[in-house]
Amino acid sequence: MEFGSFLVSLGTSAAIFVVLMLLFTWLSRKPGNVTIYYPNRIIKGLEPWEGTSLTRNPLAWMREAFTSSEQDIVNVSGVDTAVHFVFLSTVLGIFACSGLLLLPTLLPIAATDNNLKTRSKNATDTTSKGTFSQIDNLSMANITKRSPRLWAFLGAVYWISLVTYFFLWKAYKHVSTLRAQALMSTDVKPEQFAILVRDMPHPPDGQTQKEFIDSYFREIYPETFYRSLVVTENSKVNKIWEKLEGYKKKLARAEAINEATNNRPTNKTGMCGLVGKQVDSIEYYTELINESVAKLETEQKAVLAEKQQTAAIVFFNNRITAASAAQSLHCQMVDKWTVMEAPEPRQLIWKNLNIKLFGRIIRQYFIYFFVAVTILFYMIPIAFVSAITTLKNLQKIIPFIKPVVELTSVRTVLESFLPQIALLVFLAMLPKLLLFLSKAEGIPSQSHAIRAASGKYFYFSVFNVFIGVTLAGTLFNTVKDIAKNPKLDMVINLLATSLPKSATFFLTYVALKFFIGYGLELSRIIPLIIFHLKKKFLCKTEAEVKEAWYPGDLSYATRVPGDLLILTITFCYSVIAPLILVFGVTYFGLGWLVLRNQALKVYVPSYESYGRMWPHIHQRILAALFLFQVVMFGYLGAKTFFYTALVIPLIITSLIFGYVCRQKFYGGFEHTALEVACRELKQSPDLEEIFRAYIPHSLSTHKPDEHEFKGAMSRYQDFNAISAA
């Protein structure tokens, strides 16, 4: 990419962000849009603009984000959201401190060398072809081989590594404290009084599964065991319940239409309401509801009596016993009576609870193998797209577009955005597949599945985006040269020189992510348009309207790996092309501000894992640092720097640092410390309410006083919270 095209791309992205920010300022003040820009406040029963300013200043939201405290985030959006901001601020600190030293040091050193000019005059240079970007003058590409200036770049690798170790250690301690404080809360949380038991043996003759598990745990915990909830096979009852809920929505819709128009609506009873007998909708759905309720009650009784499985939620009358039981070995055979802390009721993936230990292990390895194959083969279309979406290669493949792309304005726009947009579209196709695969491993909770999917997505992104894009263009253009001269030093030289030449692409990619990505995040233009279209043409009831504007959570499964990809790119180019540190600081600084606003006003957490995402994030940051150190070892070697081996101690230090952090901190995230669980509650827990919180929706009663699990619908239902708003 030419320097002019890069500036056009950067300027255009910045202008789009400013426009989107002004749109946000204007649209968020309109009363009809409050459900899009303030849903978190509305659900909590607060006034949309309470504690905020209605000034026309487009930067007012920044002041509100800056003045909010970490405790405000915890109170409004939970510990998981606060931990995400610890992640953003930690990375921001790493890049800011690194940039303070590297930018004034490395840029002048690189700019005052003349390696690129010398190489461009060399007729045998097959890489530069006599041209280079002005940005390359500010990178290591402009440093002559064996130059003593390379000492400064080696020192920069050490500086970034040491800064990262410091900030990560500090952040791990802080997140550990946040988690402990939340778990020490005096409020009653059902998950703190329960454990999840799996891999139970079949009961002896004459005993039900429930009687068997009750007697087993009552013998071990005679004074503190309360009761158990045996997991059941609910596939059939779930289908009946889902149909029943659908009929209720359709009945409410028909009644709303009748009230608005004073005409009783009708519908056809056949497929999709398009064929069949014409009937009165209100009478028809009322009849279906009555039939479904009867079917549901019959199936509920059959499930409770005949479909008990070898897993259960076990409840205790105090937190410390539950915490102790969750980290204890209950059976001499480790594949029997396995226990863990119970997830929140809303997090449980019920269909996975009955999967046996060895089944889970086999599933896990199979999924890992499948994901590895997916990553490897997904790189083929990624590499192909990144290679052909350069204008030069597109003109070779599609010759008839040449007259169009020769127009200066068209060429500039296409060079600025085409490869990056193609890459973003490819990446958008993957997250749902990875989340599905993670759940297929037999993971018991939603938050754990999201962490697993996030890890897979991170490694996929690094392998296919960072490595694939860096090498694909060079290999596409130089495959003939490699075939003619297949020497190892030729290949290493080509791969090494491809790193700085990809810097401009990644500078534009990061700029596109933070300006346009965060601009769309802040303005919420797309959710706003979708909501108003649904409200005007589809929604007839208040419940449908509220469902249309419900914002969801921060989408950690894609947001965390996306941020980690930017972290990896910035790490790996921070010494090769130090200018990227400016973009890294801008990305995480702007992200901190925009997401702070969204966390306080927009997003509603779908679960709370008390910071369990942090060990995952910490490990991936270290993986990115490790990759950076390996890349610098290879690139300094390609520059034939005699002291390249001095990078090896840093690589070893990173491995040791990761091991020490895991040994010191991870246990407090895997289990609840007993000193945390022993804190007194401000009121005695209602154990029956705790038990009812875990009853599946499809086993809850629809007629009071006629079912064993009456009142089972828990406070953990998001849409119940909406309806109460």
Side-chain angles (χ1 to χ4, degrees):
M1 182 188 292
E2 297 176 357
F3 187 63
S5 298
F6 170 70
L7 290 180
V8 168
S9 171
L10 190 61
T12 304
S13 299
I16 292 173
F17 176 78
V18 172
V19 170
L20 291 173
M21 185 173 65
L22 293 174
L23 273 174
F24 162 73
T25 304
W26 177 58
L27 292 171
S28 63
R29 299 176 70 251
K30 302 290 183 181
N33 298 335
V34 293
T35 52
I36 297 299
Y37 294 102
Y38 302 95
N40 188 307
R41 292 176 178 272
I42 292 172
I43 288 172
K44 294 184 182 305
L46 303 174
E47 290 296 323
W49 294 290
E50 183 178 329
T52 63
S53 173
L54 287 178
T55 176
R56 296 178 183 272
N57 182 0
L59 304 180
W61 64 274
M62 291 188 181
R63 184 179 65 251
E64 293 164 8
F66 266 125
T67 55
S68 64
S69 65
E70 185 174 68
Q71 191 58 47
D72 292 333
I73 297 294
V74 172
N75 293 339
V76 172
S77 292
V79 177
D80 287 331
T81 305
V83 167
H84 190 70
F85 285 106
V86 173
F87 162 53
L88 296 177
S89 59
T90 297
V91 178
L92 179 62
I94 291 171
F95 290 152
C97 288
S98 299
L100 287 175
L101 181 63
L102 268 57
L103 291 174
T105 304
L106 299 187
L107 292 182
I109 291 174
T112 53
D113 211 335
N114 60 356
N115 181 54
L116 290 174
K117 289 183 179 179
T118 303
R119 289 172 63 86
S120 65
K121 294 176 183 177
N122 185 354
T124 63
D125 183 2
T126 59
T127 303
S128 63
K129 302 293 184 185
T131 63
F132 55 90
S133 167
Q134 289 111 315
I135 295 178
D136 289 339
N137 286 323
L138 303 176
S139 72
M140 278 186 75
N142 202 33
I143 301 296
T144 308
K145 288 184 177 182
R146 301 185 184 89
S147 171
R149 296 174 183 235
L150 292 170
W151 275 107
F153 293 89
L154 176 62
V157 178
Y158 267 81
W159 172 250
I160 291 176
S161 300
L162 294 175
V163 167
T164 303
Y165 299 147
F166 171 76
F167 275 96
L168 285 182
W169 184 268
K170 182 179 177 182
Y172 221 142
K173 289 180 66 177
H174 180 59
V175 174
S176 296
T177 302
L178 266 180
R179 173 176 166 83
Q181 288 174 344
L183 292 173
M184 286 190 290
S185 169
T186 57
D187 295 329
V188 176
K189 299 180 177 68
E191 60 274 13
Q192 290 187 304
F193 291 83
I195 62 172
L196 172 61
V197 184
R198 307 170 82 179
D199 308 301
M200 299 187 316
H202 289 286
D205 293 339
Q207 273 191 319
T208 65
Q209 193 72 56
K210 180 172 175 55
E211 291 170 344
F212 182 42
I213 192 172
D214 284 355
S215 62
Y216 182 84
F217 278 94
R218 187 173 287 112
E219 182 179 354
I220 300 174
Y221 306 98
E223 297 180 359
T224 54
F225 170 75
Y226 174 60
R227 65 188 298 185
S228 66
L229 175 65
V230 179
V231 175
T232 51
E233 203 288 301
N234 297 336
S235 57
K236 186 175 179 180
V237 75
N238 285 343
K239 289 179 182 179
I240 299 173
W241 182 79
E242 288 167 3
K243 284 184 178 181
L244 175 60
E245 293 300 306
Y247 295 149
K248 287 181 177 180
K249 290 180 180 179
K250 290 177 180 179
L251 176 60
R253 181 182 178 87
E255 289 175 341
I257 293 173
N258 179 45
E259 185 176 347
T261 63
N262 206 26
N263 291 321
R264 292 179 73 85
T266 60
N267 65 280
K268 294 183 178 180
T269 59
M271 184 178 63
C272 301
L274 300 176
V275 295
K277 182 182 177 181
Q278 193 87 10
V279 295
D280 181 283
S281 296
I282 295 177
E283 293 179 358
Y284 177 66
Y285 289 121
T286 300
E287 183 180 347
L288 287 177
I289 287 172
N290 292 333
E291 292 176 1
S292 297
V293 168
K295 287 181 182 178
L296 182 65
E297 291 175 346
T298 301
E299 184 61 28
Q300 284 174 340
K301 294 175 181 178
V303 164
L304 294 172
E306 304 168 8
K307 297 184 180 181
Q308 295 183 358
Q309 297 184 319
T310 56
I313 310 293
V314 174
F315 301 89
F316 300 92
N317 58 24
N318 63 70
R319 297 193 296 185
I320 193 166
T321 303
S324 177
Q327 48 195 293
S328 300
L329 183 64
H330 285 78
C331 181
Q332 187 68 25
M333 299 293 108
V334 295
D335 63 334
K336 302 294 183 184
W337 297 102
T338 57
V339 298
M340 60 176 288
E341 292 182 358
E344 285 182 305
R346 57 181 170 178
Q347 287 196 53
L348 282 168
I349 304 175
W350 290 96
K351 64 181 180 180
N352 285 352
L353 301 186
N354 194 47
I355 301 173
K356 297 295 185 179
L357 176 64
F358 292 116
R360 300 196 295 269
I361 294 173
I362 292 170
R363 283 168 172 251
Q364 186 179 55
Y365 282 113
F366 176 79
I367 296 296
Y368 286 172
F369 173 76
F370 183 81
V371 170
V373 171
T374 302
I375 289 174
L376 290 173
F377 283 95
Y378 216 79
M379 189 174 181
I380 296 173
I382 286 280
F384 181 71
V385 168
S386 64
I388 68 171
T389 50
T390 61
L391 290 185
K392 183 178 178 181
N393 293 330
L394 278 176
Q395 290 178 53
K396 293 178 184 177
I397 298 167
I398 317 174
F400 61 82
I401 69 169
K402 188 173 181 179
V404 178
V405 299
E406 284 182 347
L407 298 173
T408 304
S409 58
V410 175
R411 184 182 186 87
T412 300
V413 171
L414 290 177
E415 280 190 335
S416 301
F417 294 110
L418 184 61
Q420 290 82 0
I421 290 175
L423 181 60
L424 289 173
V425 170
F426 253 86
L427 288 175
M429 299 166 60
L430 194 68
K432 288 188 177 180
L433 171 64
L434 295 180
L435 184 59
F436 169 79
L437 292 174
S438 296
K439 290 182 179 180
E441 293 179 30
I443 288 172
S445 70
Q446 188 73 16
S447 63
H448 189 177
I450 287 174
R451 292 196 299 274
S454 176
K456 295 177 179 68
Y457 194 32
F458 166 71
Y459 290 116
F460 168 87
S461 300
V462 169
F463 189 81
N464 286 287
V465 178
F466 174 66
I467 298 177
V469 171
T470 299
L471 303 184
T474 300
L475 293 176
F476 188 88
N477 292 319
T478 60
V479 64
K480 292 182 180 179
D481 297 322
I482 295 175
K484 291 178 182 178
N485 184 17
K487 293 181 180 179
L488 183 61
D489 60 342
M490 173 67 175
V491 177
I492 292 175
N493 184 57
L494 287 172
L495 298 183
T497 54
S498 72
L499 286 167
K501 285 177 180 275
S502 299
T504 307
F505 170 87
F506 283 117
L507 286 173
T508 311
Y509 179 78
V510 176
L512 187 67
K513 287 276 285 184
F514 68 68
F515 275 138
I516 297 181
Y518 282 130
L520 289 171
E521 173 69 63
L522 180 67
S523 64
R524 289 180 61 78
I525 291 294
I526 296 174
L528 180 70
I529 294 172
I530 292 173
F531 166 68
H532 282 296
L533 288 174
K534 284 184 174 181
K535 184 178 179 182
K536 185 172 180 63
F537 298 109
L538 298 177
C539 299
K540 301 299 182 182
T541 66
E542 280 298 311
E544 289 176 339
V545 172
K546 290 172 180 177
E547 187 174 344
W549 57 253
Y550 186 71
D553 60 15
L554 276 170
S555 302
Y556 296 111
T558 53
R559 190 178 300 279
V560 170
D563 291 343
L564 287 170
L565 174 62
I566 301 300
L567 164 80
T568 304
I569 292 170
T570 308
F571 260 147
C572 290
Y573 281 92
S574 58
V575 175
I576 293 173
L579 196 61
I580 203 169
L581 285 169
V582 176
F583 290 79
V585 168
T586 307
Y587 176 87
F588 286 98
L590 190 60
W592 188 94
L593 275 174
V594 171
L595 294 180
R596 197 88 166 179
N597 178 81
Q598 307 301 78
L600 290 168
K601 301 173 184 176
V602 178
Y603 291 118
V604 179
S606 59
Y607 63 82
E608 177 63 81
S609 68
Y610 304 102
R612 289 289 296 273
M613 179 66 86
W614 176 254
H616 158 90
I617 293 173
H618 179 271
Q619 185 176 351
R620 271 67 185 184
I621 294 175
L622 278 180
L625 179 68
F626 180 83
L627 179 61
F628 157 66
Q629 292 165 345
V630 171
V631 165
M632 289 311 303
F633 177 78
Y635 192 59
L636 287 170
K639 287 288 186 180
T640 61
F641 184 51
F642 184 75
Y643 297 99
T644 298
L646 291 176
V647 178
I648 295 176
L650 278 180
I651 297 174
I652 297 172
T653 302
S654 294
L655 296 174
I656 295 173
F657 179 79
Y659 175 78
V660 171
C661 286
R662 183 175 180 84
Q663 294 301 310
K664 181 175 177 64
F665 298 111
Y666 183 70
F669 287 82
E670 188 177 16
H671 302 292
T672 300
L674 299 186
E675 68 174 1
V676 171
C678 71
R679 300 302 174 97
E680 290 186 7
L681 299 170
K682 60 183 177 184
Q683 62 182 26
S684 298
D686 184 339
L687 297 177
E688 191 60 25
E689 181 181 353
I690 290 172
F691 171 79
R692 290 197 302 266
Y694 277 91
I695 297 172
H697 311 159
S698 56
L699 296 181
S700 61
T701 183
H702 292 267
K703 291 184 178 180
D705 302 324
E706 290 188 12
H707 197 276
E708 178 183 353
F709 292 148
K710 53 188 177 183
M713 296 302 288
S714 76
R715 65 183 175 89
Y716 291 97
Q717 300 309 305
D718 293 331
F719 287 103
N720 281 4
I722 295 175
S723 301

